[in-house]
Amino acid sequence: MKTLGIIFGNLHDKDVGELTAVRSLASVPFGGRFRLIDFVLSNMVNSGITKVGIVTKTNYNSLMDHVGNGKHWDLSRKNGGLIVLPPYGDGDMSLFRSRFGTLKNIRQFISHSDEDYVVMSDCDNVCNINLSDVLQAHEENHADITIVVRKKELVNKKPRTIVTTDKAGRVTEVVNTDKASGEKQVFANIFVMNRQFLLGIIDNADELGYNSFTRDVLARGVNKYRIFAFMQSGYFANIDSLSNYYKHSLELLDKDIRDELFYRDGANIYTKVRDSAPCKIASSAKVTNSMIADGCVIEGEVRNSILFRGVKVAKGAKITDSIVFQGSVIGKNSSLHCVIADKLVTILEDRTLSGHETHPYFIAKSAVI
Amino acid sequence: MKKKKCVAMLLAGGQGTRLFALTDRVAKPAVSFGAKYRIIDFPLSNCTNSGIDTVGVLTQYQPLILNEYVGNGEPWDLDRSYGGVHTLPPYQAKQGGEWYKGTANAIYQNMHFLDRFDSEHVLILSGDHIYKMDYSKMLSAHIARGADCTIAVIDVPEKEASRFGIMDYGEDMRITSFEEKPKKPKSNHASMGVYVFKKDVLVRELTEDAADPASANDFGKNIIPKMLREGRGMFAYSFSGYWKDVGTVSSLWEANMDLLGDKPAFDLDDPSFKVYSRNDPLPPSYIGAGGRFENSVMTTGCEIYGTVVNSVIGEGVTVLEGAVIENSVIMQGSVIGKNVKINYGMVDENVIVEAGVVIGDDKSDKDHIALIGRDSVIKKGTEIKSGEIIERGKKA
């Protein structure tokens, strides 16, 4: 089963404006040493996919720097491998606003591939999913489209794509709404199509009046196409706001979630290797219920927090319920509570910064406080 | 193809018998060190940081893990289309192959490698030292003096001098005497086992040495004394950074401990001179709500629920509740069970220490390290005394 992977790198940048001010959503740091795209990329690689296109639009320097030629994901290949698809063509950036517009724009890439199937995914999903299972179900169902769904308790007024299925897993209704509540099956923004079928839809989009993937292809197509749902029951986090980012990050302090996300059947999550020295924790330090990456030097107190690579915490400093990105320095006797500090932040001595569990305080990249 | 200025030959075939259980199944250069490294990472990273992109790794004893680790050299940026890292095991030839008889013989048997890259100089390294060194400075000194051979020297404590090759040199750095492991050392200038030769000189000396049936085919015992006798241009290059021979259990333990403290004797945290290594893709380490981790280092994938003090914890190690690890080195993938006590211990890779085991006693110190070989399972309630050695795979 030869399969092509396509990752949408920018679709939801606006959701987490603070973190995407200097980067695309795909390269938002997560889990102490990873970037969001590592999860979807690793999922694809662990499922035997050896050719992956990443569609980018804006702010993609950090993403290019992170993925490089793909060697850390074993995607530096003579045939296939990692292909970054920067914006191309007539300068009509509006095409990239939707998933469907993006697919139209990379039609050539899709038509020049020779894989039978295409797996497409957004990059704001944190999960460890076996896509081979999805592909197998897709094949067994003789489906045109298979969409990954998950169960989610809907509480807020965010628009969601709610999916109804029959006993066989065939999709009977797809509704985009912000009015639903209670536990629903929602679209997880991961889907599989036969490549030729996908090309057919792209080519006939104008004739069919298709502009949106969910509204037109899925919602209007339930009776026309064989659309099936695949239930992802394992851990799944969608990063669609800063408070959600904060909440899902700190969930990693739960061992069961770490096990599910990082150690599922030996399917590791790969990332760019930086060769930092081991982390060093001094006699004066007190570290509890926290994740500490390589290169950290900790002399102060750290509790319920995640420290990325190379964070320095001076004596007397106290970090609680916070997330500190790569290379930041926390000065003597300063304290951070419910803070998200972006890369290379410097907190001088005796500073006190505090947010709230539902509203973490965000410090922008390279800020000096 | 463009000539290389200098290629490195890394002697990595040694058995390392004084590391006992640690080298049961792996060559000394593949022994774990400093939470995320293996000994060979140091000379390989030094090469990369010195701009040397062609390295032959001469393997012989238990090469499997070492070969797999070095692989195509990618972690050290040594995956090159011209040059890069090459493992050079002994091979069979038409006239019958043979094992490497000594350090010089190992290089002699791989003369084809030197010919292929036809460099002007050859750097000879050994795979059993922990140090960060910019070889390009030594090479510059070697070229500036027009030396036939330059030997890196470091001053060691006098009581340890008899363990090394000891030399004397004048103000012009010209070497005047060299003695391998002398009973009564004349100085404390020890050879670091790092040599730079002019390639033509090396080829000539190795060829002559190979023709001498009385020779032990060893650099320290034969080649260097002979060149000195013949009055060749032999110079010392003095190195003053951290350097440690980790050929014994206590010296390997000491080198690990040198990473600890507010001002460690050996500081790895230097972005301008990184030490590269091959590591598993694991998440950062986690310290639990009841965990204590003091004056210690660890790398990725550890789960710490017990107490760790003055210790070095390798990749993916788990320390369960109630366990107390002090003054110890735990290597990658090992699991330390509940309420285990370890003091002055070295636990090799993938060891399972079951609940309640006690390793070390009141006689434990740096000269009496208890050593647990890789893949062992230490059964519940076992007591292992100071200095005791559990061989690989044993179920004690």
Side-chain angles (χ1 to χ4, degrees):
Chain A
M1 250 190 305
K2 281 184 80 181
T3 309
L4 171 70
I6 292 175
I7 298 172
F8 303 98
N10 284 86
L11 277 184
H12 309 289
D13 280 8
K14 286 196 301 290
D15 289 351
V16 203
E18 296 88 343
L19 292 170
T20 53
V22 289
R23 54 177 80 87
S24 63
L25 190 55
S27 51
V28 164
F30 189 85
R33 68 181 298 213
F34 302 96
R35 305 273 182 154
L36 286 181
I37 197 170
D38 292 340
F39 294 91
V40 50
L41 258 186
S42 302
N43 287 340
M44 286 184 173
V45 170
N46 288 333
S47 309
I49 296 172
T50 56
K51 181 174 180 182
V52 179
I54 303 177
V55 192
T56 61
K57 183 177 71 177
T58 51
N59 265 356
Y60 53 86
N61 289 10
S62 68
L63 178 61
M64 298 280 280
D65 176 53
H66 181 68
V67 297
N69 64 357
K71 73 174 175 184
H72 297 295
W73 297 266
D74 249 348
L75 285 174
S76 165
R77 301 293 183 95
K78 199 165 240 178
N79 299 309
L82 185 88
I83 297 122
V84 177
L85 302 162
Y88 161 84
D90 51 11
D92 183 6
M93 296 288 268
S94 62
L95 272 178
F96 280 91
R97 258 186 229 137
S98 69
R99 205 187 315 272
F100 204 70
T102 304
L103 287 171
K104 272 183 170 171
N105 213 271
I106 60 165
R107 187 203 177 278
Q108 218 173 34
F109 171 70
I110 300 169
S111 68
H112 284 178
S113 300
D114 65 349
E115 284 74 9
D116 304 318
Y117 301 103
V118 187
V119 177
M120 287 162 275
S121 174
D122 291 359
C123 59
D124 49 357
N125 296 327
V126 177
C127 65
N128 193 336
I129 180 175
N130 188 346
L131 295 168
S132 314
D133 291 346
V134 183
L135 283 158
Q136 199 177 338
H138 180 79
E139 228 179 21
E140 282 168 8
N141 290 327
H142 301 287
D144 295 317
I145 306 173
T146 299
I147 59 177
V148 176
V149 297
R150 61 183 173 121
K151 287 214 168 74
K152 186 171 167 61
E153 192 70 32
L154 298 181
V155 280
N156 55 20
K157 290 270 179 279
K158 271 187 194 132
R160 300 278 178 190
T161 306
I162 294 170
V163 178
T164 316
T165 46
D166 65 14
K167 277 200 190 107
R170 182 153 180 186
V171 176
T172 53
E173 197 189 17
V174 175
V175 187
N176 237 341
T177 176
D178 57 2
K179 300 216 166 44
S181 62
E183 195 186 65
K184 298 282 181 204
Q185 260 188 167
V186 301
F187 178 34
N189 295 333
I190 300 172
F191 54 107
V192 176
M193 278 193 228
N194 297 15
R195 191 175 59 91
Q196 291 302 343
F197 176 81
L198 172 61
L199 285 170
I201 284 190
I202 294 172
D203 290 344
N204 296 313
D206 291 341
E207 210 172 297
L208 295 163
Y210 285 175
N211 288 307
S212 150
F213 180 72
T214 43
R215 204 180 55 227
D216 297 329
V217 183
L218 293 184
R220 283 168 55 196
V222 284
N223 295 316
K224 199 168 159 192
Y225 309 125
R226 288 181 65 82
I227 305 178
F228 283 79
F230 180 94
M231 174 61 72
Q232 152 73 1
S233 48
Y235 179 80
F236 192 101
N238 180 250
I239 307 299
D240 59 1
S241 69
L242 190 67
S243 57
N244 237 343
Y245 173 84
Y246 177 76
K247 183 185 117 189
H248 291 310
S249 291
L250 293 185
E251 276 172 1
L252 297 178
L253 300 179
D254 180 333
K255 182 167 180 0
D256 293 340
I257 290 178
R258 278 200 306 281
D259 283 349
E260 211 172 315
L261 198 51
F262 297 115
Y263 300 99
R264 178 189 63 82
D265 299 334
N268 289 120
I269 304 299
Y270 305 93
T271 190
K272 183 180 174 182
V273 175
R274 299 189 58 87
D275 294 286
S276 314
C279 72
K280 209 171 96 184
I281 299 181
S283 314
S284 57
K286 190 161 183 254
V287 183
T288 52
N289 191 37
S290 296
M291 254 176 126
I292 311 292
D294 270 357
C296 287
V297 178
I298 302 175
E299 297 175 341
E301 190 178 335
V302 180
R303 187 152 44 87
N304 308 337
S305 295
I306 294 178
L307 304 193
F308 281 70
R309 289 183 274 207
V311 171
K312 315 283 179 206
V313 182
K315 275 197 180 112
K318 189 171 170 182
I319 300 177
T320 52
D321 305 286
S322 294
I323 300 162
V324 183
F325 287 6
Q326 191 183 316
S328 290
V329 178
I330 316 300
K332 269 187 190 163
N333 303 320
S334 282
S335 87
L336 305 185
H337 177 66
C338 296
V339 164
I340 299 175
D342 206 319
K343 265 176 88 171
L344 304 170
V345 161
T346 306
I347 311 287
L348 300 174
E349 296 182 10
D350 303 310
R351 302 292 192 265
T352 301
L353 296 158
S354 177
H356 186 266
E357 278 158 41
T358 54
H359 289 82
Y361 182 72
F362 178 76
I363 304 171
K365 187 178 171 184
S366 304
V368 178
I369 293 181
Chain B
M1 287 283 189
K2 192 177 172 292
K3 260 191 165 189
K4 298 272 181 195
K5 191 169 166 193
C6 182
V7 304
M9 298 294 267
L10 173 51
L11 298 160
Q15 185 177 352
T17 47
R18 288 166 305 148
L19 288 175
F20 303 99
L22 290 176
T23 50
D24 242 13
R25 291 294 158 113
V26 302
K28 180 152 72 167
V31 169
S32 292
F33 170 79
K36 68 182 289 187
Y37 306 101
R38 293 180 188 274
I39 296 170
I40 196 171
D41 286 329
F42 291 85
L44 286 180
S45 299
N46 287 343
C47 284
T48 302
N49 289 325
S50 309
I52 293 169
D53 65 6
T54 308
V55 185
V57 178
L58 297 113
T59 60
Q60 176 154 291
Y61 174 79
Q62 288 288 3
L64 298 182
I65 289 176
L66 184 62
N67 287 350
E68 190 191 325
Y69 186 72
V70 172
N72 68 347
E74 186 273 326
W76 305 271
D77 219 358
L78 289 171
D79 51 334
R80 305 295 179 96
S81 39
Y82 177 57
V85 71
H86 298 251
T87 40
L88 303 169
Y91 55 91
Q92 215 157 24
K94 201 166 181 185
Q95 259 70 46
E98 52 184 25
W99 295 107
Y100 297 154
K101 281 179 293 192
T103 51
N105 178 256
I107 310 269
Y108 176 75
Q109 288 201 41
N110 286 287
M111 210 93 96
H112 62 93
F113 182 81
L114 297 179
D115 288 337
R116 163 151 159 64
F117 291 102
D118 196 22
S119 62
E120 292 166 54
H121 305 279
V122 180
L123 172 68
I124 295 178
L125 303 168
S126 65
D128 37 16
H129 300 127
I130 301 289
Y131 63 119
K132 291 193 284 189
M133 178 175 179
D134 184 348
Y135 302 132
S136 69
K137 291 181 182 160
M138 178 176 175
L139 183 61
S140 301
H142 171 79
I143 292 169
R145 292 187 185 115
D148 288 325
C149 169
T150 301
I151 303 176
V153 297
I154 188 158
D155 292 350
V156 294
E158 265 164 47
K159 62 175 169 39
E160 286 177 30
S162 57
R163 284 173 46 205
F164 300 100
I166 294 297
M167 65 193 100
D168 239 338
Y169 51 84
E171 261 174 42
D172 61 353
M173 300 306 281
R174 191 176 269 274
I175 299 170
T176 51
S177 75
F178 182 97
E179 275 183 290
E180 185 68 19
K181 299 192 177 108
K183 291 218 172 63
K184 285 185 185 152
K186 283 185 221 147
S187 79
N188 66 338
H189 306 315
S191 163
M192 294 166 64
V194 175
Y195 315 112
V196 185
F197 284 90
K198 271 185 191 153
K199 190 220 163 195
D200 300 342
V201 171
L202 180 66
V203 169
R204 183 190 68 213
E205 292 299 331
L206 290 178
T207 311
E208 286 178 20
D209 178 70
D212 176 2
S215 172
N217 309 117
D218 186 270
F219 278 101
K221 287 181 202 136
N222 309 102
I223 304 265
I224 288 161
K226 172 176 171 284
M227 286 177 74
L228 266 178
R229 277 198 306 276
E230 293 172 357
R232 308 286 178 192
M234 309 279 287
F235 289 86
Y237 173 82
S238 165
F239 176 78
S240 57
Y242 181 89
W243 179 83
K244 187 116 184 154
D245 179 291
V246 287
T248 63
V249 172
S250 65
S251 64
L252 180 63
W253 178 87
E254 266 175 12
N256 274 287
M257 294 299 131
D258 284 342
L259 302 174
L260 306 180
D262 289 347
K263 294 232 159 27
F266 188 44
D267 194 358
L268 291 168
D269 193 12
D270 175 3
S272 69
F273 203 104
K274 278 186 180 179
V275 182
Y276 304 98
S277 60
R278 189 185 288 278
N279 294 105
D280 284 337
L282 299 177
S285 289
Y286 172 78
I287 301 179
R292 235 181 90 202
F293 198 86
E294 287 175 20
N295 191 34
S296 300
V297 300
M298 65 176 160
T299 183
T300 48
C302 300
E303 298 268 332
I304 310 291
Y305 302 96
T307 297
V308 176
V309 182
N310 304 335
S311 296
V312 173
I313 307 295
E315 191 177 66
V317 166
T318 300
V319 179
L320 292 176
E321 290 86 353
V324 179
I325 297 172
E326 292 175 280
N327 310 307
S328 295
V329 178
I330 314 293
M331 299 183 191
Q332 67 189 62
S334 289
V335 178
I336 310 300
K338 285 186 181 170
N339 304 316
V340 167
K341 305 272 175 277
I342 304 179
N343 194 10
Y344 290 97
M346 282 231 265
V347 176
D348 201 350
E349 297 169 35
N350 303 317
V351 169
I352 295 172
V353 182
E354 294 186 354
V357 167
V358 178
I359 298 176
D361 52 34
D362 50 7
K363 291 195 197 75
S364 286
D365 62 22
K366 80 175 181 72
D367 297 316
H368 300 87
I369 307 280
L371 183 62
I372 317 292
R374 59 190 295 132
D375 307 322
S376 307
V377 177
I378 310 297
K379 289 281 176 208
K380 224 174 206 174
T382 310
E383 290 186 17
I384 292 170
K385 292 192 182 61
S386 60
E388 206 172 322
I389 294 169
I390 306 294
E391 291 279 318
R392 176 206 191 243
K394 276 267 177 65
K395 295 188 184 201

